[in-house]
Amino acid sequence: MSRTRVVVTGLGTTNPLGGDAATTWEGMVAGRSGVRRLSEIPGTEDWPELAVSIAAPAAVDPTDVLERVRARRLDRSSQLALVSAMEAWADAGLEQPQADGELDGDRIGIAMASGIGGVQTLLSNYDVMLAKGPRRVSPLAVPMLMANAPAATLSLQFGARAAVNTPVSACASGNEAISLAADQIRLGRADIVVAGGTESAIHPLPMAAFANMMALSKNAGDPATVSRPWDTARDGFVLGEGAGALVLESYEHARARGARIYAEVLGTGITADSHDIAQPDPEGRGGTRALQRALADGEISPSDVAHVNAHATSTPQGDVAESLMLHAVLGAHAEEIVVTSTKSMTGHLLGGAGAVEGVATVLALHHRLSPPTINLDNLDPAVELDIATKPRDLPLGDIVALNNSFGFGGANVAVAFGSV
């Protein structure tokens, strides 16, 4: 593969902290939580009683942003993806929508991931069928619920006719999309790729399923304090929803049009555990190899790494395994880097997590500032990392930040971003 430089020229997100990148970044730096009680979330009034009482919904309803007719033809996951991608596209200084022919659609790609897909559409139409009969099922149900609906929606929005991909690797999906997008540019198949991930699974069925497998926190206390990565009192993740999008572009293409560059994608690594369908390898061997591959791909020395936006979901096993990975790859330097988990504020966005955290990682490099991990009162002694509990300055000069994502099925993805 060529060593074509891949850079980030646009950012967009909508998630529990805000409806755009600027508001989200402000919330992260301020250490604000987007977690709420289910009773405070519209539409949950008729839900059955669950073992879980909290979730992290998007702060801005996407139907308040999109045209009404268009929004009704999209699953909520596609709505969130479209909102975030439109922001990223405009932030990159590109036409919105791409219509006047200045860009070659054959050189524009999409890599928009989802871990579950259009589950809201699937389950709501099943309810309609049971209550009113098969003929009342929406004729748009399949194009709304299919996993590649968000990516297809973006392809239509931006006139993208290069590869339009939908990585599906559970909670690693969003980060895998960034890796895939970088590969498409390096392979010469596209000049611009809109990459990211989306998820909207706050629904009683997936929440009951996650709760029954002991993955979700059942803490009924203050919602803002429940997501607590690395803390000794952590007992599971908080389910959130949202999307993140990054415009990736070849350096030559970005420079030719005078685009602002936030950061560079230096290297990526993708591996699998082949250990268990849900539990991580307790020694973190698969994740270790993903990190090693990302550093090797970017020709990065461990001493170059200054910051890590960790996957750290607030689960007992996963948080410790990730600490072991970082020590295995970075050696003694692992204790010198600034580590954070923005899931402490957003909850876990599943297929959208890696993308929203990719946006946060790029902004951390851009502003030379690590957002904090909130709710870390008592660090697990098995975790030997320097975790930021307040905003922390990052070094000047050329530095690297890692964005880690791990998912059910043993999926591991690491993306290394470099400062510019």
Side-chain angles (χ1 to χ4, degrees):
M1 191 178 296
S2 75
R3 293 309 304 174
T4 298
R5 294 178 66 187
V6 178
V7 296
V8 182
T9 57
L11 300 171
T13 182
T14 181
N15 59 76
L17 292 182
D20 55 45
T23 306
T24 297
W25 180 248
E26 177 193 16
M28 287 181 174
V29 173
R32 189 171 69 240
S33 173
V35 183
R36 297 164 59 188
R37 297 193 188 281
L38 290 178
S39 58
E40 300 171 350
I41 302 174
T44 63
E45 299 83 4
D46 299 326
W47 280 20
E49 185 175 351
L50 300 174
V52 175
S53 60
I54 59 172
V60 176
D61 193 318
T63 60
D64 292 339
V65 180
L66 301 172
E67 300 129 353
R68 180 172 176 270
V69 172
R70 189 173 196 191
R72 290 184 64 184
R73 299 172 68 90
L74 300 174
D75 180 80
R76 189 173 173 89
S77 62
S78 292
Q79 295 171 359
L80 293 165
L82 182 57
V83 170
S84 66
M86 288 170 61
E87 181 192 4
W89 189 262
D91 187 48
L94 298 165
E95 315 96 276
Q96 176 127 1
Q98 198 282 112
D100 60 12
E102 289 186 14
L103 296 175
D104 180 1
D106 292 347
R107 304 291 299 166
I108 302 172
I110 305 293
M112 179 56 63
S114 179
I116 297 179
V119 66
Q120 302 280 0
T121 295
L122 175 65
L123 295 174
S124 64
N125 274 272
Y126 184 67
D127 290 341
V128 168
M129 185 181 70
L130 292 181
K132 300 180 180 179
R135 293 183 64 83
R136 298 298 297 274
V137 171
S138 170
L140 297 175
V142 170
M144 289 173 67
L145 68 83
M146 62 190 190
N148 68 318
T153 299
L154 302 192
S155 174
L156 295 171
Q157 174 70 19
F158 305 123
R161 298 189 297 272
V164 177
N165 300 117
T166 304
V168 179
S169 51
C171 307
S173 303
N175 219 18
E176 186 168 330
I178 298 170
S179 175
L180 179 60
D183 286 350
Q184 293 297 316
I185 294 172
R186 286 181 175 179
L187 288 166
R189 295 172 177 169
D191 297 319
I192 300 172
V193 182
V194 181
T198 186
E199 204 79 87
S200 178
I202 298 178
H203 181 283
L205 191 148
M207 291 190 71
F210 276 125
N212 288 348
M213 68 185 301
M214 309 301 289
L216 290 183
S217 172
K218 297 176 183 176
N219 188 329
D222 180 358
T225 68
V226 173
S227 184
R228 43 197 321 112
W230 296 300
D231 192 86
T232 53
R234 68 191 185 278
D235 69 333
F237 70 82
V238 175
L239 182 62
E241 65 172 359
L246 299 84
V247 173
L248 303 190
E249 198 167 345
S250 72
Y251 175 74
E252 293 77 9
H253 191 273
R255 184 177 62 178
R257 69 180 186 86
R260 172 193 52 204
I261 296 174
Y262 282 103
E264 182 173 356
V265 180
L266 296 177
T268 69
I270 301 176
T271 65
D273 283 354
S274 189
H275 169 75
D276 185 88
I277 197 66
Q279 297 296 333
D281 181 332
E283 297 180 16
R285 287 170 292 195
T288 296
R289 288 186 293 111
L291 287 161
Q292 290 170 333
R293 290 183 179 182
L295 296 188
D297 184 37
E299 300 178 350
I300 299 164
S301 167
S303 61
D304 296 330
V305 179
H307 175 56
V308 176
N309 191 309
H311 182 66
T313 62
S314 190
T315 57
Q317 289 182 303
D319 291 6
V320 173
E322 188 168 9
S323 175
L324 295 174
M325 297 173 204
L326 291 171
H327 278 274
V329 175
L330 302 176
H333 185 64
E335 296 185 34
E336 299 178 22
I337 57 179
V338 181
V339 182
T340 195
S341 172
T342 47
K343 287 186 182 74
S344 62
M345 296 172 276
T346 66
H348 192 355
L349 311 187
L350 306 182
V356 174
E357 289 152 21
V359 171
T361 306
V362 169
L363 287 173
L365 281 176
H366 182 67
H367 294 291
R368 302 285 172 153
L369 184 68
S370 168
T373 298
I374 65 172
N375 303 324
L376 182 52
D377 299 324
N378 297 290
L379 179 64
D380 187 327
V383 177
E384 298 178 346
L385 297 170
D386 180 12
I387 298 166
T389 56
K390 295 181 180 180
R392 293 266 293 277
D393 291 333
L394 297 179
L396 299 177
D398 294 334
I399 59 173
V400 174
L402 300 175
N403 183 31
N404 296 342
S405 295
F406 312 111
F408 283 0
N412 309 296
V413 183
V415 176
F417 293 98
S419 59
V420 292

